Amino acid sequence: MHIAQLNIGILLVQRDEPMVAGFMEALDPINAIADASPGFVWRLVTPEGNATAIRPFDDERILVNMSVWESIEALEAFTYRSPHTPYIGRRREWFQRFEGHFMVLWWVAAGHLPDVEEAKERLALLERDGPTRAAFTFRRRFPPPT
């Protein structure tokens, strides 16, 4: 089993405005770090190499990040103990405070690459039911199914 994650955010402004330039400029270097991280399997990308052009929600300012990792520990290490980590602390510079869940984790069979609709369903499950084996968070995680 592998761990999948979806993380969404609502930009304060449109993605081409100077206020979010620092975030947009950091995407390629941070994505390269993720791609080279131990345990990384896959991430959602466009031909440009990131997911900022993918608009699965009605609000054009919502950005999505979705990836698959070999383990929750590998994802956690990249998220909280890599050059990616300082950007988490800066998120209020670029993103609105989010009401509800903005990140969801779920287990997938090794080799399965989830699509955006599957990820949105998992986020909706988490919002509706709270953390369960089907959709959870780093704070309330569940082991992989056996």
Side-chain angles (χ1 to χ4, degrees):
M1 298 299 292
H2 288 165
I3 193 75
Q5 70 84 27
L6 171 72
N7 183 2
I8 65 173
I10 304 172
L11 287 172
L12 293 169
V13 296
Q14 294 299 321
R15 66 186 177 134
D16 59 351
E17 293 190 32
M19 179 184 225
V20 295
F23 172 79
M24 299 304 290
E25 291 165 2
L27 281 176
D28 287 342
I30 294 299
N31 285 336
I33 292 166
D35 294 350
S37 292
F40 173 82
V41 174
W42 169 87
R43 68 182 165 86
L44 179 67
V45 296
T46 63
E48 296 77 30
N50 64 56
T52 60
I54 297 169
R55 297 288 190 261
F57 295 92
D58 293 335
D59 188 334
E60 288 291 310
R61 295 170 303 137
I62 296 179
L63 299 184
V64 299
N65 172 283
M66 189 166 76
S67 58
V68 174
W69 296 76
E70 290 176 354
S71 69
I72 198 166
E73 294 81 11
L75 172 59
E76 188 173 43
F78 167 73
T79 304
Y80 298 114
R81 294 184 300 280
S82 78
H84 168 264
T85 307
Y87 288 92
I88 294 172
R90 297 181 61 193
R91 68 184 173 269
R92 296 288 171 252
E93 292 178 36
W94 307 303
F95 292 95
Q96 291 181 10
R97 183 170 298 280
F98 203 84
E99 297 297 325
H101 294 281
F102 59 88
M103 191 270 296
V104 63
L105 305 173
W106 71 101
W107 294 104
V108 296
H112 174 70
L113 302 179
D115 62 24
V116 174
E117 288 307 310
E118 178 182 340
K120 287 175 63 177
E121 289 172 12
R122 298 297 177 139
L123 187 62
L125 279 174
L126 179 62
E127 193 64 35
R128 187 187 74 214
D129 301 335
T132 65
R133 292 188 181 284
F136 51 95
T137 65
F138 279 120
R139 282 195 179 135
R140 181 78 202 287
R141 60 182 75 177
F142 291 83
T146 56

